[in-house]
Amino acid sequence: MIIRKLTLSVLMKIERENYAQDAINEFLQYPCVFLLAGSAHRVATAVGSGVIIQTEQNHLAILTAKHIAEETKREEYRLGFFNCTNPISDFVAGILLCPDDVDVGLLIVKDTLSTQIRNLAVTHNLVPVEDYEIVDKDSLVLNGFPAEISLYDQNKNEQGFTVLTYWCVPENVSFNGKGRYRLEWKDANVWREDRAFDLPSPEGMSGGPLWRFRKSVSTSLWSALGTGKIIGIQSAWDRKETAIIEPVSKWSNWFHESIVTIDKSLRETNLKL
C-alpha cells in the first residue's frame, strides 16, 4: 500500500506540473509579438521580437530591445501577433529608450490601432519593481521569433513566423562582466520527448521577454498570470552558445517611469484633440 500511495503521489505531481507547463505555454503565445522591417506586402528584411504591455490608463506599448526600437526611427515597421494574417503597419506613435548602454526600449502603439491587440496585452505590473532574483526552483522561459525558422511562400507572396518558447533552468543562467544574463544556447529536447534538436540562431528574438514562473505555496491558487514575471529582455547573441539578456534590475525603474510618461503624454494629447 505504501508503494501504491507513493506512486499515486508522484503521478499526481507530474500531472500538476504538466498542467502548469501547458498553462504557461498557452499564456505566453499571446503577448509575444514580432516586429517586421518594411511596409505592407514587402518581404521583411529584418525581424525583432517584443511583448505587448498595457499601461495603467489602458494604452499599449511594445517592450523590446533598444536597438530594435531605434530602427523604427529610420524605417517603417509592422507589428505581428498570434494568429494574425496581416501585421499592423505604421503602428508606432512614439519611442522611449532606456538610457546608457541598457538595450531596452518601448514602442508606443497608436491608440487608433490598439483595439486589434488589446486582448493580447499583459499588464505593466508583470515587470517587477523588486524581487528580481532567480531561485533554484523557478521555471524560466524565453520566447521570441527566430528569423531562421521563418517561412516564405513565393507563389502566394506570404511570409510566416513561428514563436519559439525555450524552457531553461536557473543553473543555465549566469552573469557576464556587464551585469547581463548569459543564457546557454546549445540544444534542446522536443517538448516532452527525449529527442534532442539543435536550437535555431536566436537572431530575430532580440527584444523577446525572459519570463520567470515561481511555484506558489500549496495553499494558494496557482495561475500562469499570477506567478509570471518578466525578468529580462533578450539583447544579443555571441554567435556561439550564449544568448545575452538585459536583467530587469537594470531597467525596471526606467520602465515604470516610462509607463507614467506614456499615460501623461497621451492624456494631454487627447485633451488637445
Side-chain angles (χ1 to χ4, degrees), residues 111-147:
D111 277 346
T112 53
L113 301 174
S114 63
T115 54
Q116 301 178 59
I117 56 173
R118 186 173 304 281
N119 64 323
L120 305 178
V122 294
T123 175
H124 64 96
N125 291 325
L126 295 191
V127 173
V129 295
E130 55 186 15
D131 185 23
Y132 311 126
E133 299 301 318
I134 298 172
V135 300
D136 290 343
K137 293 185 178 180
D138 286 341
S139 294
L140 305 177
V141 188
L142 179 69
N143 64 341
F145 292 84

Side-chain angles (χ1 to χ4, degrees), residues 146 148-149 164 166 184-190 194-202 237 240-241:
E148 190 174 299
I149 57 175
L164 174 67
Y166 178 54
E184 289 185 9
W185 194 265
K186 297 179 181 178
D187 53 22
N189 288 334
V190 176
D194 293 330
R195 182 163 49 92
F197 70 97
D198 291 332
L199 284 168
S201 157
W237 174 49
K240 295 179 181 178
E241 297 180 339

Side-chain angles (χ1 to χ4, degrees), residues 8 28 48 113 131 145 165 170 172 196 271:
L8 288 174
L28 291 183
L113 301 174
D131 185 23
F145 292 84
T165 301
N172 287 347
L271 286 174

